[in-house]
Amino acid sequence: QEALSRRFASGDPAGRFVRVSNRGPDTITTFAVTPGSNELTRVEEVPTGAAWPRHFALAPGGRFLVVAGERGDVLASHAVDA
């Protein structure tokens, strides 16, 4: 199971971005969605601060991303650019 990089993905309410958790490197990758074609362009990949990021969600208002780590019982929050 350690070698697998399982993922959880979620879009933002406005449909502008898709974020994917990467277990193993413990990062969140953000992709921009191109309107009309729905093509994805990688924007950034950032460390989560949570081991083996299991799930994440935008906090109400969309200014923070909260990440739950499967290992270590950690919730990490990250500011999100509007």
Side-chain angles (χ1 to χ4, degrees):
Q1 191 176 23
E2 289 293 329
L4 298 177
S5 183
R6 298 180 184 171
R7 293 173 170 83
F8 173 75
S10 179
D12 73 332
R16 298 181 310 150
F17 299 101
V18 172
R19 292 179 176 86
V20 179
S21 66
N22 305 298
R23 297 174 203 149
D26 300 337
T27 59
I28 297 284
T29 303
T30 300
F31 295 91
V33 179
T34 303
S37 70
N38 291 328
E39 290 184 28
L40 300 178
T41 303
R42 184 178 166 180
V43 175
E44 66 179 350
E45 183 172 347
V46 297
T48 62
W52 215 250
R54 184 73 179 167
H55 293 288
F56 59 86
L58 285 172
R63 297 194 46 161
F64 293 94
L65 184 73
V66 180
V67 182
E70 181 177 338
R71 300 179 181 163
D73 300 324
V74 171
L75 283 177
S77 63
H78 302 272
V80 174
D81 292 332

